[in-house]
Amino acid sequence: MFLIDVTQVHALPDRRLNLTFEDGLCAVVDMDAIVKTYRGVFLPLLDDRFFRQVRVDPELGTIVWPNGADVCPDVLYSAATGGGEGGGGKG
């Protein structure tokens, strides 16, 4: 797969993210599969207030949280197009 950077993110209820990628794809991705599978650094994301602190790090080209948690843009893109963890779909 190839890296397509995330350019915008908006947190939605129920640990979902509205993501925009540099190729123009906009999609809602359900992050529960990632958050609940890979505890560790993702454990704080179970708290809605913390989850909503997500932002895009333009240097990394992906989303990050204040505790250093991030998700590979390839994983997010795959989820956004229905091809991987996190579910998702074009929105």
Side-chain angles (χ1 to χ4, degrees):
M1 192 173 276
F2 47 90
L3 291 175
I4 298 179
D5 288 356
V6 178
T7 58
Q8 293 181 11
V9 62
H10 295 30
L12 302 171
D14 302 319
R15 279 184 297 282
R16 294 176 303 130
L17 297 174
N18 187 347
L19 300 171
T20 303
F21 296 86
E22 67 182 346
D23 68 351
L25 175 71
C26 294
V28 174
V29 174
D30 182 350
M31 295 296 292
D32 265 352
I34 294 169
V35 172
K36 290 181 177 179
T37 300
Y38 304 101
R39 292 295 181 136
V41 72
F42 292 108
L43 189 60
L45 278 61
L46 292 172
D47 177 277
D48 289 335
R49 287 181 294 165
F50 189 82
F51 184 82
R52 289 191 305 264
Q53 294 181 45
V54 65
R55 66 177 181 82
V56 172
D57 181 321
E59 189 173 315
L60 295 176
T62 194
I63 56 172
V64 298
W65 283 268
N67 69 341
D70 64 51
V71 181
C72 175
D74 281 351
V75 170
L76 295 169
Y77 196 85
S78 181
T81 57
E85 281 190 13
K90 295 179 183 176

